[in-house]
Amino acid sequence: MGNSSSASREVLQSLRASTSFSEDDINRLYARFKVLNVNNENGKLSREVLLEIPEFAVQPLVARVLSDSLAVTGGDGVSFEEFVKVLDVFSPSGSNAAKLDCAVWVCMAASDWVVVLFGVIDHDGDGLIGVEELAEIWKLMIHLPLTEEQLMTAAEQALTRGDHDEDGKWSRMEFEKVTLDSKGCSHVGGVGARQH
């Protein structure tokens, strides 16, 4: 990262092409990243630092995705580029396709990305994904103009796909089957998500 107050030209170009952030936005994020990373020589933010960022109190799913990814992969931190790409997913200007892809992108470093993705959605940690959890992940990531009732109805309908024991929830095995099914992935990712 060096001592520069802005990201390198190569990093700027790469992030401009792959995110919805402007060059100024990326440079502001870089300056913030450097401040957060002041005590770390490897150029990455640790899980502990990520969880201390005040903005994550407003959008806790960001910290959860980054933190869960680090916990599963045993990673030594999040690089600036990873940090910006994940923040872009939670930005209102980020594309819905990028939001869906993020779940896979963040989790691909893990040997079993479905486990990581399941853990992110299973907020209460009970080993099941229910209607409320699926609706909440959609609300946090996709920002569709739906009422709470429409969102819950869509989540209920999505959960019927692959719910083999008909308990109204997905177990990890049911989730894995639905997620790996190309049509099911659009149901997990959200209403109006890209079809494969």
Side-chain angles (χ1 to χ4, degrees), residues 6 9-10 42 58 82 110 113 115 117 124 129 149 153 156:
S6 62
R9 177 63 38 206
E10 180 180 302
N42 74 355
V58 176
E82 293 165 334
W113 64 269
V115 174
L117 183 56
D124 63 11
I129 294 175
E149 183 179 328
T153 299
E156 286 172 6

Side-chain angles (χ1 to χ4, degrees), residues 36-86:
L36 293 168
N37 194 40
V38 73
N39 294 324
N40 195 349
E41 295 179 17
N42 74 355
K44 296 183 176 186
L45 296 181
S46 69
R47 180 180 191 277
E48 293 75 25
V49 169
L50 290 169
L51 295 176
E52 291 174 4
I53 298 173
E55 291 84 355
F56 289 167
V58 176
Q59 186 56 277
L61 188 57
V62 177
R64 209 164 109 205
V65 167
L66 290 169
S67 178
D68 287 353
S69 177
L70 286 174
V72 170
T73 64
D76 58 350
V78 174
S79 71
F80 174 67
E81 290 85 353
E82 293 165 334
F83 180 70
V84 172
K85 287 178 182 178
V86 171

Side-chain angles (χ1 to χ4, degrees), residues 130-194:
V131 172
E132 295 81 12
E133 290 167 316
L134 190 55
E136 182 65 19
I137 202 83
W138 285 348
K139 186 179 354 179
L140 291 172
M141 290 189 71
I142 304 205
H143 306 289
L144 290 174
L146 297 175
T147 66
E148 194 72 28
E149 183 179 328
Q150 290 171 320
L151 198 55
M152 295 299 280
T153 299
E156 286 172 6
Q157 290 172 352
L159 281 171
T160 62
R161 180 184 190 93
D163 181 16
H164 299 294
D165 60 7
E166 299 179 356
D167 64 351
K169 297 180 178 191
W170 282 329
S171 67
R172 193 171 64 90
M173 287 178 44
E174 290 169 329
F175 175 77
E176 183 172 341
K177 184 164 177 40
V178 169
T179 303
L180 297 176
D181 170 0
S182 63
K183 291 180 182 170
C185 192
S186 65
H187 291 286
V188 174
V191 179
R194 174 182 62 177

Side-chain angles (χ1 to χ4, degrees), residues 79-123:
S79 71
F80 174 67
E81 290 85 353
E82 293 165 334
F83 180 70
V84 172
K85 287 178 182 178
V86 171
L87 289 177
D88 183 53
V89 168
F90 293 92
S91 165
S93 59
S95 73
N96 283 345
K99 293 171 192 292
L100 178 59
D101 289 343
C102 172
V104 175
W105 171 79
V106 168
C107 301
M108 286 307 291
S111 59
D112 190 353
W113 64 269
V114 175
V115 174
V116 176
L117 183 56
F118 184 86
V120 168
I121 299 172
D122 178 23
H123 184 68

